[in-house]
Amino acid sequence: MPKSTTIGSFYIKTATADMKEWPRDAVLYQPYEEEQILLAENASCLAVRTYLKMLDLPVVVEQRANAEFISPGGKRTKLPVLRVENFLYAEFDHIVTFIDDHFNKSLKSHLSQDQKDQLRSSLCLAENIFTVAEQYISWVDEEVRDTITKKRNGCVYPFPLNHVQNFRKEASVKRQLRLADRLNVSLDKVIADVDTLCQNLSTELGQQQYFFGEQPTELDALVFGHLFSIFTMKLPNNVLALTINKYSNLNQFCRNIDHTYFSPREQVRRLN
């Protein structure tokens, strides 16, 4: 018997279903971009949107104040949330797996087994290091937390619920950082992790258009989501952007994907 559960107003199937064609009414839920979304959440949402575009799978992006609470869960941001018929999946890796399992669509089919193993390793490392750094900057750096993060995270809630929501979110993020052993370290250490990652990514990319040659993979979508979000989200402490900006080929990589997959109407915040 297929298993099922209910989350909010959605009926979620957890067993494999026989879906062959991508539906026309697929929806991607995310927080409001201009007023509400935070750095790590924006990176995750953009990575998924990019991945869907690379697969040529149409989706309606719906911005909602309660997008996080629609989510069935996740390891990091719980966002974005993809609804396909009666299915809900959240976060980049879960959405990628769902699309591969149910529609047999992915960007890695042309890779060798060794390259697929390398891809999985690079995806895990990049997602972890970038997300930790984005959450650290947003919730541990006092200037960013007090002038940007709390205002954006709490803006859709009335007083005093905005303070309750900020307290809840900060506690949740700091638990994640503690588990990653990055809560009680210096900002310099977090930035050093990002710098080392970017050095490796820059070397892997070289002069290629994508990390594995002429065709994009899941890694390209994920890295673009994080890099582009860091480049374009305005923060009082822009040390992350300055760190990745040292790598000119990563900067050009972002420009190429932005111009290839996003129309001028969608390019809300362009790279300088």
Side-chain angles (χ1 to χ4, degrees):
M1 289 288 292
K3 297 179 180 179
S4 64
T5 186
T6 301
I7 299 176
S9 60
F10 292 101
Y11 175 77
I12 313 303
K13 296 179 183 177
T14 56
T16 301
D18 295 325
M19 289 193 296
K20 302 299 183 182
E21 299 296 330
W22 183 260
R24 296 182 178 182
D25 60 349
V27 180
L28 195 69
Y29 299 107
Q30 67 170 60
Y32 291 110
E33 283 190 3
E34 294 303 314
E35 305 93 343
Q36 182 189 13
I37 202 167
L38 304 179
L39 180 56
E41 287 79 1
N42 189 72
S44 183
C45 292
L46 182 57
V48 170
R49 287 168 56 195
T50 305
Y51 180 68
L52 292 171
K53 285 180 177 292
M54 288 175 170
L55 285 174
D56 197 24
L57 297 178
V59 66
V60 174
V61 178
E62 188 170 318
Q63 300 183 44
R64 286 193 177 187
N66 66 337
E68 180 181 351
F69 300 102
I70 297 173
S71 175
K75 295 182 293 184
R76 296 181 176 90
T77 65
K78 300 182 181 180
L79 292 167
V81 178
L82 176 68
R83 177 172 64 81
V84 177
E85 295 185 349
N86 291 327
F87 292 82
L88 277 186
Y89 283 86
E91 294 191 342
F92 184 84
D93 54 346
H94 293 146
I95 291 172
V96 168
T97 300
F98 164 70
I99 293 173
D100 193 1
D101 289 347
H102 290 266
F103 298 97
N104 195 29
K105 292 182 180 291
S106 75
L107 296 172
K108 60 180 181 291
S109 58
H110 64 287
L111 301 181
S112 67
Q113 188 56 53
D114 286 345
Q115 289 176 318
K116 289 178 181 178
D117 292 341
Q118 181 186 346
L119 173 67
R120 282 193 293 269
S121 176
S122 297
L123 281 169
C124 182
L125 185 64
E127 177 77 337
N128 181 61
I129 291 178
F130 278 133
T131 303
V132 164
E134 291 155 0
Q135 291 178 328
Y136 186 102
I137 286 289
S138 297
W139 289 104
V140 178
D141 185 282
E142 293 183 1
E143 184 180 14
V144 176
R145 181 191 64 204
D146 295 339
T147 63
I148 300 294
T149 304
K150 287 186 175 181
K151 290 181 179 180
R152 291 183 68 88
N153 188 68
C155 71
V156 296
Y157 305 99
F159 177 85
L161 186 57
N162 59 335
H163 293 289
V164 174
Q165 171 62 6
N166 282 335
F167 178 82
R168 184 199 67 83
K169 183 75 171 183
E170 182 175 357
S172 175
V173 169
K174 287 186 174 180
R175 281 195 298 271
Q176 293 184 47
L177 292 175
R178 187 177 295 110
L179 289 173
D181 197 25
R182 286 297 180 270
L183 178 60
N184 296 312
V185 301
S186 67
L187 176 59
D188 289 342
K189 171 58 179 171
V190 173
I191 296 303
D193 291 342
V194 173
D195 192 27
T196 299
L197 173 63
C198 287
Q199 288 180 34
N200 293 334
L201 290 173
S202 178
T203 300
E204 289 179 29
L205 181 63
Q207 299 305 311
Q208 301 177 119
Q209 185 174 1
Y210 302 111
F211 284 104
F212 288 89
E214 297 182 356
Q215 297 182 51
T217 65
E218 290 80 356
L219 183 61
D220 297 285
L222 179 74
V223 171
F224 171 76
H226 285 282
L227 292 182
F228 196 87
S229 295
I230 293 170
F231 274 132
T232 56
M233 185 166 281
K234 295 180 180 179
L235 300 175
N237 186 340
N238 65 344
V239 63
L240 269 180
L242 292 174
T243 299
I244 63 177
N245 196 49
K246 297 187 299 183
Y247 302 96
S248 59
N249 62 338
L250 295 182
N251 197 316
Q252 186 59 47
F253 164 83
C254 287
R255 293 177 186 273
N256 290 340
I257 291 183
D258 182 34
H259 294 155
T260 300
Y261 293 100
F262 291 88
S263 67
R265 177 177 58 83
E266 295 174 297
Q267 295 165 1
V268 179
R269 297 186 301 272
R270 290 183 177 274
L271 293 170
N272 293 326

